[in-house]
Amino acid sequence: TENFVGHQVLRIVPSSDAELQKVRELQELEHLQLDFWLSPRGLGDPVDIRVPFPSLQPLKAHLEANGVPYSIMIEDVQALVDLEQMQMLRRRRF
Amino acid sequence: MPFSTSTFDYTSYHTLDEIYAFMDLLVAENPNLVSKLEIGHTTENRPIYVLKFSKGGTNRPAIWIDTGIHSREWVTQASGVWFAKKVWADLTSPKGLANILDQMDIFLEIVTNPDGFVFTHTSNRMWRKTRSKHSGALCVGVDPNRNWDAGFGGSGASSNPCSETYRGPYANSEPEVQAIVDFVKSHGNIKAFISIHSYSQLLLYPYGYTTTAVPDKEELHQVAKEAVAALSSLYGTNYKYGSIITTIYQASGGTIDWTYNQGIKYSFTFELRDTGRYGFLLPASQIVPTAQETWKALEVIMAHTRGHLY
């Protein structure tokens, strides 16, 4: 089973054309294995990216170096997946 | 599994087997109203089922609703289960759905991508695509919402099999897509087609592959506006609406672009609620509120369709 330990979902809300362009460019960085939950749309529209643990530091450094603000939407994806699984098991037992 | 659809747990996520068992229960409880159609098989040879709600008649005008074409969007399949029960529950209501079903049939495909859905339960919760394999490619699966014959291969879809938006080798390459194409064509009298995704709180109409506005834009925009107002009236959930390409981005090979081009005027796609906190991992406690508010919008679209048969 695929493990998402340490994966985070980052939220970026581009507020300028330059930021939007920087976020669009992230889609080309295949080596980071980013999973765009919400792809770039336009200014003010959130972009949500699931970031594998090994890519977290490089990506955050890249964003900070380019002055692109971000927030952490999900701290640990696996924690939510585990919670979801536990709830399903509990319901089934009940 | 429960012994009836009344004791089924609508507040929890379920596996494919559980959802298919629910469908069988619903059919067994209401054989005069509900039937289960097998419209095809997946790459991994799972049956693809559609529930048909009908008061009888032959080839009546129909409304199509599908959920779960992107397998990781679990709240959509869960909402589909709730919709199925809701259609039955509202049948005795003197207004609304009862009136619609007097004239029209409803088709509901709860798990549009069964292989992907099973994969999300067993191997990778974040799987989005189908499970088809392609010679010469290491990566598996096609984005079934880029695989339709509407601007296929254009911008807004990837030719890279490892991309989440891989369009596939050719239009309708995915049996999950081909099954719906065959069904829609053979039925020939579907008047509304609603494809449900999550998440970003949008109600969209064609086109996605071109900036050319659809001829029915004004009407579709007005219907979307009314549907969103109805949806928001329940819990205040804020939706945007508009054409795909103007509201989100260019996307070729999309479902409702194809259905619209087939002559199904009332073609819409939803992106269900997003709390801004969970994305595809929406807690199960939000299934029923999500389904309830979405149903409000669906009622508007269905009622408008019934009132404007063409």
Side-chain angles (χ1 to χ4, degrees):
Chain A
T1 301
E2 186 84 14
N3 194 298
F4 301 100
V5 172
H7 291 217
Q8 291 187 343
V9 179
L10 303 187
R11 170 162 283 197
I12 302 168
V13 185
S15 59
S16 68
D17 288 332
E19 283 181 14
L20 186 60
Q21 183 57 30
K22 287 291 173 198
V23 177
R24 286 195 170 125
E25 285 168 9
L26 295 178
Q27 293 176 297
E28 311 302 321
L29 305 178
E30 288 181 5
H31 65 285
L32 293 178
Q33 295 189 300
L34 305 179
D35 174 13
F36 281 78
W37 284 15
L38 292 182
S39 296
R41 285 178 278 167
L43 298 183
D45 290 321
V47 179
D48 293 342
I49 312 169
R50 178 173 60 83
V51 188
F53 180 70
S55 301
L56 265 179
Q57 282 315 314
L59 178 65
K60 286 179 178 177
H62 178 80
L63 292 173
E64 285 159 16
N66 286 282
V68 179
Y70 64 88
S71 59
I72 298 172
M73 179 171 129
I74 297 177
E75 192 78 39
D76 183 357
V77 171
Q78 188 61 39
L80 278 183
V81 171
D82 289 343
L83 185 66
E84 192 177 66
Q85 282 300 313
M86 200 173 66
Q87 286 175 339
M88 285 175 72
L89 280 172
R90 232 184 245 157
R91 292 273 184 188
R92 222 167 271 148
R93 283 200 198 109
F94 176 73
Chain B
M1 287 297 292
F3 295 111
S4 84
T5 58
S6 300
T7 55
F8 186 85
D9 185 3
Y10 298 92
T11 66
S12 179
Y13 290 116
H14 294 275
T15 64
L16 182 71
D17 288 343
E18 289 168 350
I19 291 174
Y20 277 6
F22 163 84
M23 292 165 69
D24 288 337
L25 273 175
L26 195 70
V27 172
E29 289 170 5
N30 315 281
N32 294 327
L33 172 74
V34 195
S35 54
K36 186 179 81 173
L37 313 179
E38 186 176 311
I39 64 166
H41 283 80
T42 67
T43 297
E44 294 175 346
N45 208 30
R46 293 186 175 87
I48 302 171
Y49 292 130
V50 173
L51 288 176
K52 178 183 180 182
F53 298 85
S54 177
K55 287 185 173 177
T58 307
N59 203 39
R60 297 199 308 174
I63 292 161
W64 170 282
I65 302 169
D66 67 75
T67 50
I69 198 168
H70 286 149
S71 47
R72 66 185 176 182
E73 299 168 7
W74 277 14
V75 74
T76 68
Q77 296 95 344
S79 294
V81 170
W82 189 92
F83 296 155
K85 181 64 176 174
K86 181 67 174 167
V87 172
W88 177 83
D90 278 8
L91 257 186
T92 52
S93 157
K95 55 179 185 176
L97 196 63
N99 284 339
I100 292 167
L101 279 169
D102 282 341
Q103 280 183 259
M104 306 182 77
D105 294 341
I106 296 176
F107 293 98
L108 175 61
E109 186 177 7
I110 296 176
V111 188
T112 308
N113 176 5
D115 291 350
F117 190 59
V118 169
F119 201 68
T120 61
H121 278 274
T122 56
S123 302
N124 183 343
R125 174 65 181 84
M126 288 304 133
W127 193 259
R128 160 191 166 100
K129 301 190 284 185
T130 62
R131 292 295 300 163
S132 56
K133 295 180 175 68
H134 311 283
S135 59
L138 288 174
C139 295
V140 171
V142 163
D143 181 346
N145 197 33
R146 300 290 188 281
N147 190 238
W148 300 73
D149 194 6
F152 179 83
S155 299
S158 175
S159 58
N160 175 2
C162 295
S163 166
E164 293 288 2
T165 56
Y166 177 46
R167 68 190 184 217
Y170 52 89
N172 303 345
S173 64
E174 303 313 284
E176 297 83 358
V177 172
Q178 185 68 56
I180 300 174
V181 167
D182 292 343
F183 181 80
V184 167
K185 283 184 172 176
S186 68
H187 186 282
N189 204 15
I190 292 177
K191 301 299 185 188
F193 191 107
I194 303 155
S195 189
I196 298 184
H197 293 246
S198 79
Y199 63 92
S200 51
Q201 297 178 189
L202 300 167
L203 176 52
L204 306 168
Y205 52 82
Y207 286 119
Y209 73 91
T210 174
T211 52
T212 304
V214 292
D216 302 296
K217 186 197 165 192
E218 297 305 322
E219 183 183 0
L220 297 184
H221 197 77
Q222 185 60 30
V223 174
K225 182 180 178 183
E226 290 169 17
V228 162
L231 184 153
S232 301
S233 69
L234 201 54
Y235 297 111
T237 308
N238 186 33
Y239 263 58
K240 288 182 182 174
Y241 56 93
S243 74
I244 296 169
I245 196 166
T246 58
T247 310
I248 44 174
Y249 39 67
Q250 186 167 23
S252 60
T255 310
I256 63 166
D257 284 358
W258 180 80
T259 57
Y260 186 85
N261 285 345
Q262 290 296 304
I264 303 175
K265 177 162 70 167
Y266 300 114
S267 290
F268 291 96
T269 187
F270 281 84
E271 295 279 355
L272 300 187
R273 77 160 56 177
D274 159 33
T275 63
R277 294 179 61 193
Y278 300 107
F280 298 119
L281 294 163
L282 196 68
S285 59
Q286 294 201 36
I287 294 170
V288 171
T290 304
Q292 285 172 329
E293 67 185 12
T294 309
W295 185 252
K296 290 275 185 193
L298 290 175
E299 282 184 317
V300 169
I301 296 171
M302 291 192 290
H304 184 89
T305 305
R306 185 190 69 96
H308 298 80
L309 286 177
Y310 53 92

